[in-house]
Amino acid sequence: MIVGLGLIAPFFIYILSGVIAQILLRHGADQQRWLDAFVFYLALPALLFQSVRTVPPGAESLVGFLAVTTTMTGMMFVIGWFIGRGNQAEDHRAVFGLAASYSNIGYMGPALTVAVLGPAAGAPAAFVFCADVLLIFTIWPMMIGDGTGGSARLWQSMRKVITHPFILATIAALLFASTGWSLPKFIDTPLTGFQHAAAPAALFSLGLTLARNRGGHVETRLGACLAVKLIIHPLAVALAFMLVSGFDPIWVATAIIMGALPPAANVYVMARAEGISVALSARAVLYGTLFSAVTLPVVISLFA
């Protein structure tokens, strides 16, 4: 537990720094957009590319690995969906589903797993990200639709997936890995610099967002969804890999840690974009991140 806390503490210090900066400076979301652009288009894509550009051990079982992890994510969404049924505030059930299933696999996942497990965790983290984003962005438009424009919503979501910088970086890295080439130093050096900036910048940005969206109480249904996300999700992933064995231990550990991550900031972004259950989504991200400061070290201590 102490070891896990020591490994994860820097990540929460980055988040806390962003929270403090937002409280002191009181900048609006528009003033954050250039930092987000740096993280979204440069830093995290560089981290993913650098992690995947050499063919990693365990890649031969990629399809089976992603079948297990993605199935578990889908199951957590369904559980969250049923938890959200009939809530008195009439919050949308799909937001409860996101809170229970959609991990912070972009801003926290790759950087945290690499810090805990070493560079070999970068590739499976990138692959889990791609598969989970594809799943979530397929489920979301179908769950919030009212029967009209469903195909248009789905196409818009698929276009976002196809053009997502993280997914493009992973595909580019896989293509590069297949060539057997090595990067020239004048390209490798800046990519490595962007890679190292990914975790501080991404988590500082997350802290800014959390500080602007302070929530109210944690109602019973939201608390149940957060318990599913932070406790049931990693346990389910671990159990699944006990039943379906034969995978690289680093890949399995990566999948479990990714499952233990708090709800993604995208839960709030997606709800706000649709104008549904915005306050609920903000509470899910805020309290999920806070509670994960207790649950994540426990999970990480199993592998540290």
Side-chain angles (χ1 to χ4, degrees), residues 153-191:
R153 285 178 181 271
L154 184 59
W155 166 242
Q156 290 175 356
S157 291
M158 290 302 98
R159 186 170 59 182
K160 290 179 181 179
V161 171
I162 294 169
T163 59
H164 199 295
F166 300 177
I167 290 180
L168 291 177
T170 302
I171 293 172
L174 287 172
L175 293 175
F176 184 83
S178 68
T179 66
W181 298 343
S182 58
L183 281 177
K185 190 172 181 60
F186 74 92
I187 295 178
D188 185 51
T189 298
L191 280 179

PDB file of all heavy atoms in Angstrom, residues 153-191:
ATOM      1  N   ARG A 153     -25.668  10.106 -35.669  1.00  0.00           N
ATOM      2  CA  ARG A 153     -24.911  10.188 -34.417  1.00  0.00           C
ATOM      3  C   ARG A 153     -23.773   9.161 -34.402  1.00  0.00           C
ATOM      4  O   ARG A 153     -22.656   9.461 -33.993  1.00  0.00           O
ATOM      5  CB  ARG A 153     -25.834   9.931 -33.220  1.00  0.00           C
ATOM      6  CG  ARG A 153     -26.763  11.074 -32.860  1.00  0.00           C
ATOM      7  CD  ARG A 153     -27.648  10.642 -31.697  1.00  0.00           C
ATOM      8  NE  ARG A 153     -28.572  11.677 -31.307  1.00  0.00           N
ATOM      9  CZ  ARG A 153     -28.307  12.620 -30.411  1.00  0.00           C
ATOM     10  NH1 ARG A 153     -27.121  12.642 -29.832  1.00  0.00           N
ATOM     11  NH2 ARG A 153     -29.209  13.527 -30.093  1.00  0.00           N
ATOM     12  N   LEU A 154     -24.093   7.952 -34.840  1.00  0.00           N
ATOM     13  CA  LEU A 154     -23.092   6.892 -34.842  1.00  0.00           C
ATOM     14  C   LEU A 154     -21.955   7.231 -35.800  1.00  0.00           C
ATOM     15  O   LEU A 154     -20.780   7.032 -35.471  1.00  0.00           O
ATOM     16  CB  LEU A 154     -23.735   5.561 -35.234  1.00  0.00           C
ATOM     17  CG  LEU A 154     -22.822   4.335 -35.198  1.00  0.00           C
ATOM     18  CD1 LEU A 154     -22.243   4.139 -33.807  1.00  0.00           C
ATOM     19  CD2 LEU A 154     -23.593   3.087 -35.644  1.00  0.00           C
ATOM     20  N   TRP A 155     -22.295   7.774 -36.971  1.00  0.00           N
ATOM     21  CA  TRP A 155     -21.254   8.141 -37.927  1.00  0.00           C
ATOM     22  C   TRP A 155     -20.374   9.252 -37.361  1.00  0.00           C
ATOM     23  O   TRP A 155     -19.148   9.212 -37.510  1.00  0.00           O
ATOM     24  CB  TRP A 155     -21.874   8.585 -39.240  1.00  0.00           C
ATOM     25  CG  TRP A 155     -20.894   9.293 -40.139  1.00  0.00           C
ATOM     26  CD1 TRP A 155     -20.947  10.568 -40.581  1.00  0.00           C
ATOM     27  CD2 TRP A 155     -19.679   8.745 -40.685  1.00  0.00           C
ATOM     28  NE1 TRP A 155     -19.858  10.864 -41.364  1.00  0.00           N
ATOM     29  CE2 TRP A 155     -19.064   9.759 -41.446  1.00  0.00           C
ATOM     30  CE3 TRP A 155     -19.065   7.493 -40.592  1.00  0.00           C
ATOM     31  CZ2 TRP A 155     -17.857   9.567 -42.119  1.00  0.00           C
ATOM     32  CZ3 TRP A 155     -17.847   7.304 -41.258  1.00  0.00           C
ATOM     33  CH2 TRP A 155     -17.271   8.320 -42.013  1.00  0.00           C
ATOM     34  N   GLN A 156     -20.968  10.234 -36.706  1.00  0.00           N
ATOM     35  CA  GLN A 156     -20.177  11.302 -36.096  1.00  0.00           C
ATOM     36  C   GLN A 156     -19.225  10.743 -35.041  1.00  0.00           C
ATOM     37  O   GLN A 156     -18.066  11.159 -34.948  1.00  0.00           O
ATOM     38  CB  GLN A 156     -21.096  12.351 -35.473  1.00  0.00           C
ATOM     39  CG  GLN A 156     -21.856  13.189 -36.486  1.00  0.00           C
ATOM     40  CD  GLN A 156     -22.854  14.128 -35.832  1.00  0.00           C
ATOM     41  OE1 GLN A 156     -23.041  14.108 -34.619  1.00  0.00           O
ATOM     42  NE2 GLN A 156     -23.518  14.942 -36.637  1.00  0.00           N
ATOM     43  N   SER A 157     -19.707   9.797 -34.238  1.00  0.00           N
ATOM     44  CA  SER A 157     -18.850   9.190 -33.227  1.00  0.00           C
ATOM     45  C   SER A 157     -17.717   8.396 -33.864  1.00  0.00           C
ATOM     46  O   SER A 157     -16.566   8.481 -33.426  1.00  0.00           O
ATOM     47  CB  SER A 157     -19.672   8.265 -32.317  1.00  0.00           C
ATOM     48  OG  SER A 157     -20.556   9.008 -31.516  1.00  0.00           O
ATOM     49  N   MET A 158     -18.034   7.627 -34.909  1.00  0.00           N
ATOM     50  CA  MET A 158     -17.002   6.844 -35.571  1.00  0.00           C
ATOM     51  C   MET A 158     -15.961   7.738 -36.226  1.00  0.00           C
ATOM     52  O   MET A 158     -14.766   7.416 -36.242  1.00  0.00           O
ATOM     53  CB  MET A 158     -17.631   5.918 -36.622  1.00  0.00           C
ATOM     54  CG  MET A 158     -18.452   4.777 -36.038  1.00  0.00           C
ATOM     55  SD  MET A 158     -17.487   3.707 -34.924  1.00  0.00           S
ATOM     56  CE  MET A 158     -17.952   4.385 -33.326  1.00  0.00           C
ATOM     57  N   ARG A 159     -16.398   8.867 -36.757  1.00  0.00           N
ATOM     58  CA  ARG A 159     -15.447   9.802 -37.366  1.00  0.00           C
ATOM     59  C   ARG A 159     -14.497  10.355 -36.305  1.00  0.00           C
ATOM     60  O   ARG A 159     -13.300  10.522 -36.559  1.00  0.00           O
ATOM     61  CB  ARG A 159     -16.207  10.947 -38.052  1.00  0.00           C
ATOM     62  CG  ARG A 159     -15.308  11.897 -38.845  1.00  0.00           C
ATOM     63  CD  ARG A 159     -16.142  12.837 -39.668  1.00  0.00           C
ATOM     64  NE  ARG A 159     -17.031  13.627 -38.819  1.00  0.00           N
ATOM     65  CZ  ARG A 159     -17.918  14.509 -39.293  1.00  0.00           C
ATOM     66  NH1 ARG A 159     -18.057  14.665 -40.602  1.00  0.00           N
ATOM     67  NH2 ARG A 159     -18.671  15.196 -38.462  1.00  0.00           N
ATOM     68  N   LYS A 160     -15.030  10.618 -35.092  1.00  0.00           N
ATOM     69  CA  LYS A 160     -14.169  11.081 -34.003  1.00  0.00           C
ATOM     70  C   LYS A 160     -13.154  10.023 -33.618  1.00  0.00           C
ATOM     71  O   LYS A 160     -12.002  10.330 -33.309  1.00  0.00           O
ATOM     72  CB  LYS A 160     -15.031  11.462 -32.786  1.00  0.00           C
ATOM     73  CG  LYS A 160     -15.858  12.722 -32.968  1.00  0.00           C
ATOM     74  CD  LYS A 160     -16.686  13.008 -31.727  1.00  0.00           C
ATOM     75  CE  LYS A 160     -17.539  14.249 -31.910  1.00  0.00           C
ATOM     76  NZ  LYS A 160     -18.378  14.525 -30.710  1.00  0.00           N
ATOM     77  N   VAL A 161     -13.591   8.756 -33.630  1.00  0.00           N
ATOM     78  CA  VAL A 161     -12.674   7.671 -33.287  1.00  0.00           C
ATOM     79  C   VAL A 161     -11.577   7.547 -34.335  1.00  0.00           C
ATOM     80  O   VAL A 161     -10.376   7.474 -34.017  1.00  0.00           O
ATOM     81  CB  VAL A 161     -13.442   6.332 -33.158  1.00  0.00           C
ATOM     82  CG1 VAL A 161     -12.465   5.174 -33.010  1.00  0.00           C
ATOM     83  CG2 VAL A 161     -14.383   6.385 -31.970  1.00  0.00           C
ATOM     84  N   ILE A 162     -11.973   7.542 -35.593  1.00  0.00           N
ATOM     85  CA  ILE A 162     -11.017   7.334 -36.685  1.00  0.00           C
ATOM     86  C   ILE A 162      -9.972   8.440 -36.727  1.00  0.00           C
ATOM     87  O   ILE A 162      -8.800   8.206 -37.044  1.00  0.00           O
ATOM     88  CB  ILE A 162     -11.768   7.251 -38.031  1.00  0.00           C
ATOM     89  CG1 ILE A 162     -12.649   5.994 -38.071  1.00  0.00           C
ATOM     90  CG2 ILE A 162     -10.792   7.225 -39.203  1.00  0.00           C
ATOM     91  CD1 ILE A 162     -13.618   5.965 -39.222  1.00  0.00           C
ATOM     92  N   THR A 163     -10.390   9.673 -36.409  1.00  0.00           N
ATOM     93  CA  THR A 163      -9.474  10.814 -36.506  1.00  0.00           C
ATOM     94  C   THR A 163      -8.859  11.194 -35.157  1.00  0.00           C
ATOM     95  O   THR A 163      -8.192  12.224 -35.063  1.00  0.00           O
ATOM     96  CB  THR A 163     -10.213  12.036 -37.081  1.00  0.00           C
ATOM     97  OG1 THR A 163     -11.330  12.380 -36.222  1.00  0.00           O
ATOM     98  CG2 THR A 163     -10.737  11.744 -38.482  1.00  0.00           C
ATOM     99  N   HIS A 164      -9.076  10.383 -34.128  1.00  0.00           N
ATOM    100  CA  HIS A 164      -8.548  10.709 -32.802  1.00  0.00           C
ATOM    101  C   HIS A 164      -7.020  10.673 -32.823  1.00  0.00           C
ATOM    102  O   HIS A 164      -6.418   9.689 -33.289  1.00  0.00           O
ATOM    103  CB  HIS A 164      -9.066   9.696 -31.773  1.00  0.00           C
ATOM    104  CG  HIS A 164      -8.962  10.160 -30.361  1.00  0.00           C
ATOM    105  ND1 HIS A 164      -7.753  10.388 -29.735  1.00  0.00           N
ATOM    106  CD2 HIS A 164      -9.913  10.463 -29.436  1.00  0.00           C
ATOM    107  CE1 HIS A 164      -7.954  10.789 -28.501  1.00  0.00           C
ATOM    108  NE2 HIS A 164      -9.257  10.844 -28.293  1.00  0.00           N
ATOM    109  N   PRO A 165      -6.346  11.730 -32.345  1.00  0.00           N
ATOM    110  CA  PRO A 165      -4.873  11.768 -32.397  1.00  0.00           C
ATOM    111  C   PRO A 165      -4.210  10.587 -31.695  1.00  0.00           C
ATOM    112  O   PRO A 165      -3.161  10.106 -32.143  1.00  0.00           O
ATOM    113  CB  PRO A 165      -4.530  13.088 -31.691  1.00  0.00           C
ATOM    114  CG  PRO A 165      -5.735  13.933 -31.860  1.00  0.00           C
ATOM    115  CD  PRO A 165      -6.906  12.990 -31.824  1.00  0.00           C
ATOM    116  N   PHE A 166      -4.806  10.098 -30.587  1.00  0.00           N
ATOM    117  CA  PHE A 166      -4.200   8.982 -29.866  1.00  0.00           C
ATOM    118  C   PHE A 166      -4.248   7.705 -30.700  1.00  0.00           C
ATOM    119  O   PHE A 166      -3.305   6.916 -30.725  1.00  0.00           O
ATOM    120  CB  PHE A 166      -4.907   8.741 -28.538  1.00  0.00           C
ATOM    121  CG  PHE A 166      -4.888   9.902 -27.587  1.00  0.00           C
ATOM    122  CD1 PHE A 166      -5.552   9.829 -26.373  1.00  0.00           C
ATOM    123  CD2 PHE A 166      -4.220  11.079 -27.884  1.00  0.00           C
ATOM    124  CE1 PHE A 166      -5.545  10.880 -25.477  1.00  0.00           C
ATOM    125  CE2 PHE A 166      -4.205  12.146 -26.992  1.00  0.00           C
ATOM    126  CZ  PHE A 166      -4.875  12.044 -25.792  1.00  0.00           C
ATOM    127  N   ILE A 167      -5.375   7.506 -31.374  1.00  0.00           N
ATOM    128  CA  ILE A 167      -5.520   6.306 -32.200  1.00  0.00           C
ATOM    129  C   ILE A 167      -4.642   6.404 -33.442  1.00  0.00           C
ATOM    130  O   ILE A 167      -3.979   5.431 -33.840  1.00  0.00           O
ATOM    131  CB  ILE A 167      -7.006   6.103 -32.566  1.00  0.00           C
ATOM    132  CG1 ILE A 167      -7.787   5.704 -31.309  1.00  0.00           C
ATOM    133  CG2 ILE A 167      -7.166   5.056 -33.668  1.00  0.00           C
ATOM    134  CD1 ILE A 167      -9.248   5.474 -31.512  1.00  0.00           C
ATOM    135  N   LEU A 168      -4.576   7.589 -34.048  1.00  0.00           N
ATOM    136  CA  LEU A 168      -3.701   7.775 -35.203  1.00  0.00           C
ATOM    137  C   LEU A 168      -2.242   7.545 -34.820  1.00  0.00           C
ATOM    138  O   LEU A 168      -1.476   6.949 -35.588  1.00  0.00           O
ATOM    139  CB  LEU A 168      -3.886   9.184 -35.770  1.00  0.00           C
ATOM    140  CG  LEU A 168      -5.235   9.482 -36.442  1.00  0.00           C
ATOM    141  CD1 LEU A 168      -5.295  10.932 -36.892  1.00  0.00           C
ATOM    142  CD2 LEU A 168      -5.460   8.546 -37.629  1.00  0.00           C
ATOM    143  N   ALA A 169      -1.852   8.007 -33.629  1.00  0.00           N
ATOM    144  CA  ALA A 169      -0.471   7.815 -33.177  1.00  0.00           C
ATOM    145  C   ALA A 169      -0.169   6.334 -32.973  1.00  0.00           C
ATOM    146  O   ALA A 169       0.925   5.861 -33.315  1.00  0.00           O
ATOM    147  CB  ALA A 169      -0.234   8.582 -31.879  1.00  0.00           C
ATOM    148  N   THR A 170      -1.139   5.593 -32.434  1.00  0.00           N
ATOM    149  CA  THR A 170      -0.937   4.158 -32.208  1.00  0.00           C
ATOM    150  C   THR A 170      -0.827   3.414 -33.532  1.00  0.00           C
ATOM    151  O   THR A 170       0.045   2.551 -33.707  1.00  0.00           O
ATOM    152  CB  THR A 170      -2.094   3.587 -31.376  1.00  0.00           C
ATOM    153  OG1 THR A 170      -2.174   4.296 -30.130  1.00  0.00           O
ATOM    154  CG2 THR A 170      -1.894   2.114 -31.102  1.00  0.00           C
ATOM    155  N   ILE A 171      -1.686   3.756 -34.481  1.00  0.00           N
ATOM    156  CA  ILE A 171      -1.627   3.113 -35.801  1.00  0.00           C
ATOM    157  C   ILE A 171      -0.307   3.438 -36.490  1.00  0.00           C
ATOM    158  O   ILE A 171       0.352   2.561 -37.072  1.00  0.00           O
ATOM    159  CB  ILE A 171      -2.821   3.565 -36.668  1.00  0.00           C
ATOM    160  CG1 ILE A 171      -4.131   3.041 -36.077  1.00  0.00           C
ATOM    161  CG2 ILE A 171      -2.656   3.084 -38.106  1.00  0.00           C
ATOM    162  CD1 ILE A 171      -5.371   3.588 -36.754  1.00  0.00           C
ATOM    163  N   ALA A 172       0.107   4.714 -36.418  1.00  0.00           N
ATOM    164  CA  ALA A 172       1.382   5.117 -37.031  1.00  0.00           C
ATOM    165  C   ALA A 172       2.548   4.361 -36.406  1.00  0.00           C
ATOM    166  O   ALA A 172       3.482   3.935 -37.105  1.00  0.00           O
ATOM    167  CB  ALA A 172       1.579   6.626 -36.874  1.00  0.00           C
ATOM    168  N   ALA A 173       2.497   4.162 -35.092  1.00  0.00           N
ATOM    169  CA  ALA A 173       3.571   3.443 -34.407  1.00  0.00           C
ATOM    170  C   ALA A 173       3.615   1.975 -34.838  1.00  0.00           C
ATOM    171  O   ALA A 173       4.699   1.407 -35.025  1.00  0.00           O
ATOM    172  CB  ALA A 173       3.385   3.540 -32.900  1.00  0.00           C
ATOM    173  N   LEU A 174       2.436   1.363 -34.987  1.00  0.00           N
ATOM    174  CA  LEU A 174       2.394  -0.033 -35.426  1.00  0.00           C
ATOM    175  C   LEU A 174       2.949  -0.173 -36.849  1.00  0.00           C
ATOM    176  O   LEU A 174       3.702  -1.115 -37.141  1.00  0.00           O
ATOM    177  CB  LEU A 174       0.954  -0.555 -35.371  1.00  0.00           C
ATOM    178  CG  LEU A 174       0.388  -0.827 -33.975  1.00  0.00           C
ATOM    179  CD1 LEU A 174      -1.096  -1.136 -34.058  1.00  0.00           C
ATOM    180  CD2 LEU A 174       1.143  -1.993 -33.316  1.00  0.00           C
ATOM    181  N   LEU A 175       2.591   0.756 -37.711  1.00  0.00           N
ATOM    182  CA  LEU A 175       3.117   0.729 -39.076  1.00  0.00           C
ATOM    183  C   LEU A 175       4.630   0.923 -39.072  1.00  0.00           C
ATOM    184  O   LEU A 175       5.357   0.248 -39.803  1.00  0.00           O
ATOM    185  CB  LEU A 175       2.439   1.817 -39.921  1.00  0.00           C
ATOM    186  CG  LEU A 175       0.949   1.615 -40.201  1.00  0.00           C
ATOM    187  CD1 LEU A 175       0.377   2.822 -40.944  1.00  0.00           C
ATOM    188  CD2 LEU A 175       0.730   0.335 -41.020  1.00  0.00           C
ATOM    189  N   PHE A 176       5.104   1.842 -38.245  1.00  0.00           N
ATOM    190  CA  PHE A 176       6.543   2.081 -38.158  1.00  0.00           C
ATOM    191  C   PHE A 176       7.256   0.853 -37.602  1.00  0.00           C
ATOM    192  O   PHE A 176       8.329   0.478 -38.081  1.00  0.00           O
ATOM    193  CB  PHE A 176       6.825   3.296 -37.277  1.00  0.00           C
ATOM    194  CG  PHE A 176       8.275   3.674 -37.207  1.00  0.00           C
ATOM    195  CD1 PHE A 176       8.846   4.455 -38.190  1.00  0.00           C
ATOM    196  CD2 PHE A 176       9.077   3.227 -36.162  1.00  0.00           C
ATOM    197  CE1 PHE A 176      10.196   4.787 -38.151  1.00  0.00           C
ATOM    198  CE2 PHE A 176      10.416   3.549 -36.107  1.00  0.00           C
ATOM    199  CZ  PHE A 176      10.981   4.335 -37.107  1.00  0.00           C
ATOM    200  N   ALA A 177       6.650   0.220 -36.598  1.00  0.00           N
ATOM    201  CA  ALA A 177       7.264  -0.967 -36.002  1.00  0.00           C
ATOM    202  C   ALA A 177       7.419  -2.080 -37.035  1.00  0.00           C
ATOM    203  O   ALA A 177       8.394  -2.851 -36.985  1.00  0.00           O
ATOM    204  CB  ALA A 177       6.425  -1.447 -34.820  1.00  0.00           C
ATOM    205  N   SER A 178       6.485  -2.177 -37.965  1.00  0.00           N
ATOM    206  CA  SER A 178       6.533  -3.243 -38.972  1.00  0.00           C
ATOM    207  C   SER A 178       7.675  -3.061 -39.960  1.00  0.00           C
ATOM    208  O   SER A 178       8.076  -4.011 -40.637  1.00  0.00           O
ATOM    209  CB  SER A 178       5.205  -3.318 -39.723  1.00  0.00           C
ATOM    210  OG  SER A 178       5.009  -2.156 -40.532  1.00  0.00           O
ATOM    211  N   THR A 179       8.210  -1.840 -40.058  1.00  0.00           N
ATOM    212  CA  THR A 179       9.298  -1.586 -41.007  1.00  0.00           C
ATOM    213  C   THR A 179      10.652  -2.034 -40.473  1.00  0.00           C
ATOM    214  O   THR A 179      11.575  -2.289 -41.248  1.00  0.00           O
ATOM    215  CB  THR A 179       9.381  -0.082 -41.341  1.00  0.00           C
ATOM    216  OG1 THR A 179       9.768   0.652 -40.166  1.00  0.00           O
ATOM    217  CG2 THR A 179       8.047   0.438 -41.852  1.00  0.00           C
ATOM    218  N   GLY A 180      10.797  -2.090 -39.135  1.00  0.00           N
ATOM    219  CA  GLY A 180      12.083  -2.424 -38.542  1.00  0.00           C
ATOM    220  C   GLY A 180      13.068  -1.279 -38.539  1.00  0.00           C
ATOM    221  O   GLY A 180      14.245  -1.456 -38.192  1.00  0.00           O
ATOM    222  N   TRP A 181      12.632  -0.107 -38.918  1.00  0.00           N
ATOM    223  CA  TRP A 181      13.521   1.057 -38.953  1.00  0.00           C
ATOM    224  C   TRP A 181      13.734   1.596 -37.547  1.00  0.00           C
ATOM    225  O   TRP A 181      13.021   1.251 -36.610  1.00  0.00           O
ATOM    226  CB  TRP A 181      12.932   2.160 -39.822  1.00  0.00           C
ATOM    227  CG  TRP A 181      12.740   1.785 -41.260  1.00  0.00           C
ATOM    228  CD1 TRP A 181      13.309   0.728 -41.924  1.00  0.00           C
ATOM    229  CD2 TRP A 181      11.895   2.450 -42.206  1.00  0.00           C
ATOM    230  NE1 TRP A 181      12.875   0.697 -43.221  1.00  0.00           N
ATOM    231  CE2 TRP A 181      12.014   1.740 -43.432  1.00  0.00           C
ATOM    232  CE3 TRP A 181      11.060   3.563 -42.159  1.00  0.00           C
ATOM    233  CZ2 TRP A 181      11.335   2.125 -44.581  1.00  0.00           C
ATOM    234  CZ3 TRP A 181      10.394   3.949 -43.313  1.00  0.00           C
ATOM    235  CH2 TRP A 181      10.518   3.233 -44.494  1.00  0.00           C
ATOM    236  N   SER A 182      14.699   2.494 -37.406  1.00  0.00           N
ATOM    237  CA  SER A 182      14.909   3.235 -36.163  1.00  0.00           C
ATOM    238  C   SER A 182      14.756   4.726 -36.459  1.00  0.00           C
ATOM    239  O   SER A 182      15.070   5.180 -37.570  1.00  0.00           O
ATOM    240  CB  SER A 182      16.294   2.957 -35.571  1.00  0.00           C
ATOM    241  OG  SER A 182      17.313   3.304 -36.503  1.00  0.00           O
ATOM    242  N   LEU A 183      14.267   5.469 -35.499  1.00  0.00           N
ATOM    243  CA  LEU A 183      14.045   6.901 -35.700  1.00  0.00           C
ATOM    244  C   LEU A 183      15.372   7.654 -35.694  1.00  0.00           C
ATOM    245  O   LEU A 183      16.244   7.388 -34.862  1.00  0.00           O
ATOM    246  CB  LEU A 183      13.166   7.464 -34.580  1.00  0.00           C
ATOM    247  CG  LEU A 183      11.663   7.222 -34.654  1.00  0.00           C
ATOM    248  CD1 LEU A 183      10.991   7.804 -33.413  1.00  0.00           C
ATOM    249  CD2 LEU A 183      11.063   7.840 -35.912  1.00  0.00           C
ATOM    250  N   PRO A 184      15.531   8.611 -36.603  1.00  0.00           N
ATOM    251  CA  PRO A 184      16.715   9.471 -36.515  1.00  0.00           C
ATOM    252  C   PRO A 184      16.658  10.320 -35.250  1.00  0.00           C
ATOM    253  O   PRO A 184      15.569  10.650 -34.760  1.00  0.00           O
ATOM    254  CB  PRO A 184      16.606  10.335 -37.778  1.00  0.00           C
ATOM    255  CG  PRO A 184      15.187  10.248 -38.196  1.00  0.00           C
ATOM    256  CD  PRO A 184      14.681   8.914 -37.749  1.00  0.00           C
ATOM    257  N   LYS A 185      17.815  10.678 -34.746  1.00  0.00           N
ATOM    258  CA  LYS A 185      17.896  11.356 -33.449  1.00  0.00           C
ATOM    259  C   LYS A 185      17.149  12.683 -33.439  1.00  0.00           C
ATOM    260  O   LYS A 185      16.532  13.041 -32.443  1.00  0.00           O
ATOM    261  CB  LYS A 185      19.366  11.567 -33.070  1.00  0.00           C
ATOM    262  CG  LYS A 185      19.551  12.037 -31.628  1.00  0.00           C
ATOM    263  CD  LYS A 185      21.003  12.057 -31.235  1.00  0.00           C
ATOM    264  CE  LYS A 185      21.181  12.500 -29.789  1.00  0.00           C
ATOM    265  NZ  LYS A 185      20.509  11.620 -28.840  1.00  0.00           N
ATOM    266  N   PHE A 186      17.176  13.411 -34.552  1.00  0.00           N
ATOM    267  CA  PHE A 186      16.539  14.727 -34.562  1.00  0.00           C
ATOM    268  C   PHE A 186      15.010  14.624 -34.480  1.00  0.00           C
ATOM    269  O   PHE A 186      14.334  15.610 -34.169  1.00  0.00           O
ATOM    270  CB  PHE A 186      16.960  15.526 -35.801  1.00  0.00           C
ATOM    271  CG  PHE A 186      16.336  15.083 -37.095  1.00  0.00           C
ATOM    272  CD1 PHE A 186      15.147  15.652 -37.545  1.00  0.00           C
ATOM    273  CD2 PHE A 186      16.930  14.097 -37.868  1.00  0.00           C
ATOM    274  CE1 PHE A 186      14.571  15.251 -38.740  1.00  0.00           C
ATOM    275  CE2 PHE A 186      16.359  13.691 -39.061  1.00  0.00           C
ATOM    276  CZ  PHE A 186      15.172  14.267 -39.501  1.00  0.00           C
ATOM    277  N   ILE A 187      14.458  13.433 -34.722  1.00  0.00           N
ATOM    278  CA  ILE A 187      13.022  13.199 -34.529  1.00  0.00           C
ATOM    279  C   ILE A 187      12.772  12.544 -33.176  1.00  0.00           C
ATOM    280  O   ILE A 187      11.829  12.895 -32.467  1.00  0.00           O
ATOM    281  CB  ILE A 187      12.452  12.322 -35.665  1.00  0.00           C
ATOM    282  CG1 ILE A 187      12.528  13.063 -36.997  1.00  0.00           C
ATOM    283  CG2 ILE A 187      10.995  11.927 -35.358  1.00  0.00           C
ATOM    284  CD1 ILE A 187      12.031  12.251 -38.186  1.00  0.00           C
ATOM    285  N   ASP A 188      13.614  11.595 -32.821  1.00  0.00           N
ATOM    286  CA  ASP A 188      13.439  10.870 -31.567  1.00  0.00           C
ATOM    287  C   ASP A 188      13.554  11.793 -30.351  1.00  0.00           C
ATOM    288  O   ASP A 188      12.795  11.649 -29.385  1.00  0.00           O
ATOM    289  CB  ASP A 188      14.481   9.759 -31.474  1.00  0.00           C
ATOM    290  CG  ASP A 188      14.288   8.893 -30.244  1.00  0.00           C
ATOM    291  OD1 ASP A 188      13.160   8.424 -30.020  1.00  0.00           O
ATOM    292  OD2 ASP A 188      15.256   8.696 -29.496  1.00  0.00           O
ATOM    293  N   THR A 189      14.482  12.745 -30.391  1.00  0.00           N
ATOM    294  CA  THR A 189      14.700  13.627 -29.235  1.00  0.00           C
ATOM    295  C   THR A 189      13.476  14.485 -28.906  1.00  0.00           C
ATOM    296  O   THR A 189      13.035  14.502 -27.751  1.00  0.00           O
ATOM    297  CB  THR A 189      15.937  14.515 -29.459  1.00  0.00           C
ATOM    298  OG1 THR A 189      17.088  13.675 -29.597  1.00  0.00           O
ATOM    299  CG2 THR A 189      16.150  15.470 -28.286  1.00  0.00           C
ATOM    300  N   PRO A 190      12.896  15.214 -29.875  1.00  0.00           N
ATOM    301  CA  PRO A 190      11.690  15.982 -29.511  1.00  0.00           C
ATOM    302  C   PRO A 190      10.507  15.095 -29.138  1.00  0.00           C
ATOM    303  O   PRO A 190       9.717  15.458 -28.263  1.00  0.00           O
ATOM    304  CB  PRO A 190      11.396  16.812 -30.767  1.00  0.00           C
ATOM    305  CG  PRO A 190      12.129  16.147 -31.872  1.00  0.00           C
ATOM    306  CD  PRO A 190      13.327  15.512 -31.256  1.00  0.00           C
ATOM    307  N   LEU A 191      10.367  13.942 -29.780  1.00  0.00           N
ATOM    308  CA  LEU A 191       9.281  13.036 -29.402  1.00  0.00           C
ATOM    309  C   LEU A 191       9.437  12.580 -27.959  1.00  0.00           C
ATOM    310  O   LEU A 191       8.456  12.492 -27.212  1.00  0.00           O
ATOM    311  CB  LEU A 191       9.254  11.824 -30.330  1.00  0.00           C
ATOM    312  CG  LEU A 191       8.604  12.002 -31.706  1.00  0.00           C
ATOM    313  CD1 LEU A 191       8.686  10.698 -32.497  1.00  0.00           C
ATOM    314  CD2 LEU A 191       7.154  12.450 -31.576  1.00  0.00           C
TER     315      LEU A 191
END
